[in-house]
Amino acid sequence: MDFFTILSLVASSLILYTSWVLIKTKTSKNLPPGPPKLPIIGNLHQVKSTTLTPYRVLRNLANKYGPIMHLQLGQVSTVVISTPRLAKEVLNATVSSIADRPVTTTSQIFYYRAQDIGWTLYGPYWIQMRKICVSELLSAKRVQSFGNLQADELKSTCKLLESSLGTTVNFRQIMTQTVNNVICRATLGDIYKDRTDLVELLTEVMNGLGDIDVVSYFPSFQFLYNISGKKAKWLKTHKQLDIILEEILNEHRKRTSINQDHEDLLEVLLRIKETGDLDVPITNENVKAVVLDLLIAGMGTPTSVIEWAMSELMKNPETMKRAQAEVRAVLKGNTITETDIRSMHYLKLVIKETLRLHSPPLLVPRVTKKHFNIDGYDIPANTNLLVNVWACETDPDSWENPESFIPERFENSPINYLGSDFQFIPFGAGKRICAGMTFGLNMVEHVVATFLYHFDWKLPNGLKPDEVDMTEVYGASVLPKYPLQIVPVSVSLAN
Ligand code: HEM
């Protein structure tokens, strides 16, 4: 068969399949409303935009078609939720049928057939690993045990910045290195000192996981991954990472005396694997998948939140002044303690407001296992559920001036990010709520407080605060399109 015969066969089967899916879903169910659909691509042409990020496009569509909206994205039937009330219904649902994640090629390849926590299917394995994660790996006590290494890394960063006083620095580069070091040391210990290869491979994994392409919408066209060479590239990255992880695992196994109060996360996992009373036995692959999850989740989101916080502070000098005055009034020495952070009330408001505007805008998708009903609409099994967190967090019925940065809005407000106020769910909510919230917040608070305490900051080249570019770029996480460039200035402090 020549190439064109194969192509026409593929095209006609695609048309038949998609028409069948469209007719079937349209005739048999009372689906939520949505924009008119074209054959084959469904609504794909309406969600693609060269100027707007996907969550803004989805919010605009929701304004027209409703807060619960059905989209046919190629072969993928998708329901988008855009208000706090509906987010509550979906995320709070006790039915386990909506706690599943979709099966993706990248999560299968990178996470050893999705045996991590974030991408694994809901079931006994996820329940067990999630429990270990929350009570052992990322508990408040464990996070506190990383205080010294975090302080150590921040001290090195301050030294580096001191040698660059008065010159423009790439804030993203410096801060990302700090956070990566903290996460790598907390997860893997100090064994793997030259982390350049590891971090490069982890960045490739992050990019792979965030790669939304034609196969994401036409999953039956997996062969395109073979033709394009993407699959080979991902497999190669996975193999290289696996070699490094195996090496680190072997080093850990050789250790004899371990102080449980200062274990790294891999040591905790290995201890539980060997001695824990487990319903589902843990394999080496499980350990590697979870370790990868922690590294990826821990590096990606905190760095973007910190860069956005600093960008907002540079754009709002009065807010910066107030936050800096507080941090400097609270700190008694050079090392920030938990008690210090607890007293930094305004800083906490700044971070909450940053999370409201700049946390992951769309939750990791869920997929329905069984049919269920919401607001009188049918959501069939195998539907992807997307919660537009950004739309909830800028919902005009819940927030005044929703898109403005106003930390004071949280002053004396009971609204919190713990997963029960659905107009503010930067960590998600329900069964799949972020497992690393304490660690993530701790890191963001300490890093921002340190930068505000030790330095004054100026914009380069006479740039004015309102000229700070807040254009977003959407990928594995949402970042400022142009990395923040700022100038650290010496500050003389009494202590
Ligand atoms: C400020 C920092 C962070 C933010 C804003 C954040 C946000 C999120 C969000 C929105 C989700 C998806 C929740 C859902 O689908 O409902 C998530 C999941 C997750 N996060 Fe975080 N995260 C942060 C830091 C961290 C850190 C530091 C770690 C671990 C080292 C971590 C580990 C995880 C894990 C394991 C999941 C998957 C949970 C599951 O599916 O059961 N996160 N995070």
Side-chain angles (χ1 to χ4, degrees), residues 195-205 237:
R195 304 185 186 100
T196 323
D197 291 354
L198 176 65
V199 170
E200 233 168 69
L201 290 166
L202 291 171
T203 311
E204 280 175 35
V205 172
T237 303

PDB file of all heavy atoms in Angstrom, residues 195-205 237:
ATOM      1  N   ARG A 195      23.948  18.365  39.794  1.00  0.00           N
ATOM      2  CA  ARG A 195      22.566  18.063  39.398  1.00  0.00           C
ATOM      3  C   ARG A 195      22.224  18.548  37.993  1.00  0.00           C
ATOM      4  O   ARG A 195      21.067  18.511  37.603  1.00  0.00           O
ATOM      5  CB  ARG A 195      21.605  18.710  40.397  1.00  0.00           C
ATOM      6  CG  ARG A 195      21.868  18.271  41.814  1.00  0.00           C
ATOM      7  CD  ARG A 195      20.852  18.797  42.794  1.00  0.00           C
ATOM      8  NE  ARG A 195      21.306  18.430  44.126  1.00  0.00           N
ATOM      9  CZ  ARG A 195      21.933  19.250  44.940  1.00  0.00           C
ATOM     10  NH1 ARG A 195      22.150  20.511  44.581  1.00  0.00           N
ATOM     11  NH2 ARG A 195      22.341  18.850  46.131  1.00  0.00           N
ATOM     12  N   THR A 196      23.230  19.021  37.255  1.00  0.00           N
ATOM     13  CA  THR A 196      22.921  19.638  35.958  1.00  0.00           C
ATOM     14  C   THR A 196      22.163  18.674  35.040  1.00  0.00           C
ATOM     15  O   THR A 196      21.113  19.027  34.494  1.00  0.00           O
ATOM     16  CB  THR A 196      24.228  20.090  35.258  1.00  0.00           C
ATOM     17  OG1 THR A 196      25.096  20.566  36.271  1.00  0.00           O
ATOM     18  CG2 THR A 196      23.983  21.173  34.242  1.00  0.00           C
ATOM     19  N   ASP A 197      22.686  17.441  34.882  1.00  0.00           N
ATOM     20  CA  ASP A 197      22.029  16.474  33.983  1.00  0.00           C
ATOM     21  C   ASP A 197      20.624  16.156  34.471  1.00  0.00           C
ATOM     22  O   ASP A 197      19.669  16.125  33.696  1.00  0.00           O
ATOM     23  CB  ASP A 197      22.792  15.134  33.967  1.00  0.00           C
ATOM     24  CG  ASP A 197      24.120  15.279  33.280  1.00  0.00           C
ATOM     25  OD1 ASP A 197      24.379  16.366  32.740  1.00  0.00           O
ATOM     26  OD2 ASP A 197      24.898  14.301  33.307  1.00  0.00           O
ATOM     27  N   LEU A 198      20.531  15.930  35.776  1.00  0.00           N
ATOM     28  CA  LEU A 198      19.238  15.557  36.349  1.00  0.00           C
ATOM     29  C   LEU A 198      18.203  16.656  36.085  1.00  0.00           C
ATOM     30  O   LEU A 198      17.093  16.389  35.602  1.00  0.00           O
ATOM     31  CB  LEU A 198      19.393  15.320  37.863  1.00  0.00           C
ATOM     32  CG  LEU A 198      18.111  15.017  38.617  1.00  0.00           C
ATOM     33  CD1 LEU A 198      17.504  13.694  38.170  1.00  0.00           C
ATOM     34  CD2 LEU A 198      18.349  14.980  40.130  1.00  0.00           C
ATOM     35  N   VAL A 199      18.577  17.912  36.380  1.00  0.00           N
ATOM     36  CA  VAL A 199      17.626  19.012  36.219  1.00  0.00           C
ATOM     37  C   VAL A 199      17.255  19.182  34.745  1.00  0.00           C
ATOM     38  O   VAL A 199      16.087  19.424  34.413  1.00  0.00           O
ATOM     39  CB  VAL A 199      18.194  20.315  36.833  1.00  0.00           C
ATOM     40  CG1 VAL A 199      17.337  21.523  36.478  1.00  0.00           C
ATOM     41  CG2 VAL A 199      18.300  20.173  38.346  1.00  0.00           C
ATOM     42  N   GLU A 200      18.222  18.992  33.847  1.00  0.00           N
ATOM     43  CA  GLU A 200      17.931  19.099  32.418  1.00  0.00           C
ATOM     44  C   GLU A 200      16.893  18.040  31.998  1.00  0.00           C
ATOM     45  O   GLU A 200      15.935  18.330  31.299  1.00  0.00           O
ATOM     46  CB  GLU A 200      19.215  18.861  31.636  1.00  0.00           C
ATOM     47  CG  GLU A 200      19.528  19.980  30.652  1.00  0.00           C
ATOM     48  CD  GLU A 200      20.932  19.848  30.139  1.00  0.00           C
ATOM     49  OE1 GLU A 200      21.191  18.892  29.392  1.00  0.00           O
ATOM     50  OE2 GLU A 200      21.777  20.692  30.513  1.00  0.00           O
ATOM     51  N   LEU A 201      17.093  16.818  32.488  1.00  0.00           N
ATOM     52  CA  LEU A 201      16.156  15.746  32.131  1.00  0.00           C
ATOM     53  C   LEU A 201      14.770  16.006  32.742  1.00  0.00           C
ATOM     54  O   LEU A 201      13.742  15.763  32.099  1.00  0.00           O
ATOM     55  CB  LEU A 201      16.698  14.385  32.607  1.00  0.00           C
ATOM     56  CG  LEU A 201      17.926  13.873  31.845  1.00  0.00           C
ATOM     57  CD1 LEU A 201      18.587  12.719  32.579  1.00  0.00           C
ATOM     58  CD2 LEU A 201      17.526  13.427  30.435  1.00  0.00           C
ATOM     59  N   LEU A 202      14.757  16.516  33.971  1.00  0.00           N
ATOM     60  CA  LEU A 202      13.467  16.804  34.609  1.00  0.00           C
ATOM     61  C   LEU A 202      12.735  17.903  33.840  1.00  0.00           C
ATOM     62  O   LEU A 202      11.503  17.869  33.710  1.00  0.00           O
ATOM     63  CB  LEU A 202      13.671  17.222  36.069  1.00  0.00           C
ATOM     64  CG  LEU A 202      14.159  16.110  37.010  1.00  0.00           C
ATOM     65  CD1 LEU A 202      14.531  16.675  38.373  1.00  0.00           C
ATOM     66  CD2 LEU A 202      13.099  15.024  37.178  1.00  0.00           C
ATOM     67  N   THR A 203      13.500  18.872  33.325  1.00  0.00           N
ATOM     68  CA  THR A 203      12.871  19.930  32.531  1.00  0.00           C
ATOM     69  C   THR A 203      12.273  19.331  31.262  1.00  0.00           C
ATOM     70  O   THR A 203      11.171  19.700  30.841  1.00  0.00           O
ATOM     71  CB  THR A 203      13.918  21.017  32.177  1.00  0.00           C
ATOM     72  OG1 THR A 203      14.588  21.370  33.371  1.00  0.00           O
ATOM     73  CG2 THR A 203      13.276  22.240  31.559  1.00  0.00           C
ATOM     74  N   GLU A 204      12.981  18.365  30.657  1.00  0.00           N
ATOM     75  CA  GLU A 204      12.426  17.702  29.456  1.00  0.00           C
ATOM     76  C   GLU A 204      11.132  16.967  29.797  1.00  0.00           C
ATOM     77  O   GLU A 204      10.180  16.971  29.030  1.00  0.00           O
ATOM     78  CB  GLU A 204      13.437  16.713  28.871  1.00  0.00           C
ATOM     79  CG  GLU A 204      14.494  17.405  28.022  1.00  0.00           C
ATOM     80  CD  GLU A 204      15.571  16.431  27.537  1.00  0.00           C
ATOM     81  OE1 GLU A 204      15.237  15.271  27.265  1.00  0.00           O
ATOM     82  OE2 GLU A 204      16.740  16.860  27.451  1.00  0.00           O
ATOM     83  N   VAL A 205      11.108  16.335  30.982  1.00  0.00           N
ATOM     84  CA  VAL A 205       9.877  15.635  31.395  1.00  0.00           C
ATOM     85  C   VAL A 205       8.739  16.650  31.547  1.00  0.00           C
ATOM     86  O   VAL A 205       7.622  16.437  31.063  1.00  0.00           O
ATOM     87  CB  VAL A 205      10.096  14.868  32.725  1.00  0.00           C
ATOM     88  CG1 VAL A 205       8.779  14.318  33.254  1.00  0.00           C
ATOM     89  CG2 VAL A 205      11.085  13.733  32.526  1.00  0.00           C
ATOM     90  N   THR A 237      14.668  10.079  27.110  1.00  0.00           N
ATOM     91  CA  THR A 237      14.733  10.887  28.342  1.00  0.00           C
ATOM     92  C   THR A 237      14.444  10.000  29.556  1.00  0.00           C
ATOM     93  O   THR A 237      15.137  10.046  30.571  1.00  0.00           O
ATOM     94  CB  THR A 237      13.677  12.028  28.290  1.00  0.00           C
ATOM     95  OG1 THR A 237      13.931  12.797  27.132  1.00  0.00           O
ATOM     96  CG2 THR A 237      13.722  12.894  29.521  1.00  0.00           C
TER      97      THR A 237
END
